[in-house]
Amino acid sequence: MSSGNPQPSGASQQPGPASAAATTGQQSATVLVVEDEPTIATAIAQRLSAEGWRVEVARDGLSGVDAASRLRPDLVVLDVMLPGIDGLEVTRRIQAEHPTPILMLTARDDETDMLVGLGVGADDYMTKPFSMRELVARIKALLRRVDRAAQAAATTPADPPMMMGDVTVDRAQRRVYRGGEEVHLTPTEFELLVMLAGSPKTVLTRERLLAEVWDWADASGTRTVDSHIKALRRKLGPDLIRTVHGVGYAFEPPANQ
């Protein structure tokens, strides 16, 4: 990973020339990077600035929470292991104040850590070391999904709620309830659930889910799909989504529907 001169904590990186691949809506995005390792933080900030985004860096958990409250960023890139409070607590505090897409970075390829991160409100995760190319692709995909959801909410007539046993999906309000209690789903989890539920009993491959929900088609990301499915099952119960080994997943409505 390339490195440059470390930036001071909270330093703002000015945008460089916008990448031709960036969409108009993404060019003005603000990205907060919360990372305590100066070399990694600087490398990320420089690359994201080169994509045309405004980037600010925070070097510890509390500074990250304060920066998120002040900036209201369009997206947060967040390390799990931070001084002060860790990335999981940072995620909880950011999401409690203002729902924000969060891409979590973890130094350990531990699925439990990934599921915990998704469970507290992260939208995606990457394991260190990672390529800057993939990081940029993941960020662009997250920003596209947020834009798409906002446009759909503004222009699409309200769809009736989807009723699946004791689970209700209100697509117009983007809210999910289980047994009458609201269940917090990240934007990614919500779109994944709606896509599966929209084709009941139909097996959707991991590659298709990755392409249509995450907006990128690199087969190396199919484990991301698996982890999000596990997070959905943990929140909504194990019986709504069936695994088709070696292929993908199918939504299974309750037998009385």
Side-chain angles (χ1 to χ4, degrees):
M1 183 180 299
S2 61
S3 61
N5 295 326
Q7 300 293 324
S9 179
S12 178
Q13 298 284 332
Q14 295 302 315
S19 166
T23 66
T24 301
Q26 292 176 1
Q27 288 181 8
S28 59
T30 297
V31 180
L32 172 63
V33 177
V34 188
E35 167 63 65
D36 64 314
E37 172 53 50
T39 300
I40 297 175
T42 300
I44 292 173
Q46 289 179 342
R47 178 57 187 269
L48 301 191
S49 294
E51 294 293 327
W53 298 317
R54 179 187 174 216
V55 182
E56 184 159 326
V57 176
R59 296 291 171 78
D60 60 67
L62 289 174
S63 297
V65 173
D66 291 342
S69 180
R70 171 173 51 84
L71 290 173
R72 291 293 180 95
D74 298 288
L75 184 138
V76 178
V77 177
L78 174 66
D79 191 16
V80 172
M81 302 300 294
L82 292 168
I85 58 175
D86 65 16
L88 300 177
E89 181 60 24
V90 172
T91 299
R92 292 187 186 95
R93 296 189 187 188
I94 290 176
Q95 299 294 30
E97 180 174 341
H98 180 69
T100 304
I102 293 178
L103 193 159
M104 191 168 281
L105 306 178
T106 175
R108 295 190 298 172
D109 191 13
D110 187 324
E111 191 167 62
T112 299
D113 286 352
M114 297 170 191
L115 287 174
V116 171
L118 297 174
V120 299
D123 292 276
D124 202 355
Y125 65 86
M126 294 183 67
T127 303
K128 298 177 182 179
F130 53 84
S131 75
M132 287 295 179
R133 172 181 165 276
E134 182 176 354
L135 176 66
V136 168
R138 299 275 191 111
I139 291 173
K140 288 180 178 178
L142 275 172
L143 292 174
R144 281 196 299 270
R145 291 206 302 280
V146 171
D147 288 343
R148 190 169 61 221
Q151 291 169 4
T155 62
T156 303
D159 293 315
M162 303 170 72
M163 310 293 292
M164 302 163 287
D166 68 343
V167 175
T168 301
V169 180
D170 185 337
R171 288 169 286 182
Q173 298 294 322
R174 294 183 68 86
R175 295 179 182 275
V176 176
Y177 302 87
R178 180 183 180 189
E181 297 290 328
E182 185 170 0
V183 178
H184 171 76
L185 297 187
T186 68
T188 302
E189 290 169 350
F190 184 87
E191 291 197 19
L192 180 59
L193 175 62
V194 168
M195 184 174 179
L196 287 164
S199 302
K201 297 185 179 294
T202 301
V203 180
L204 302 181
T205 67
R206 291 174 174 84
E207 290 75 16
R208 180 179 173 186
L209 292 170
L210 191 66
E212 296 197 25
V213 177
W214 278 262
D215 275 346
W216 60 292
D218 186 341
S220 66
T222 53
R223 189 176 175 192
T224 297
V225 178
D226 298 339
S227 293
H228 278 78
I229 291 289
K230 289 183 179 181
L232 275 178
R233 285 172 170 159
R234 186 171 62 175
K235 294 178 180 182
L236 300 176
D239 300 327
L240 284 178
I241 302 172
R242 175 169 58 93
T243 299
V244 182
H245 292 288
V247 182
Y249 299 96
F251 181 81
E252 292 291 333
N256 60 352
Q257 289 190 232

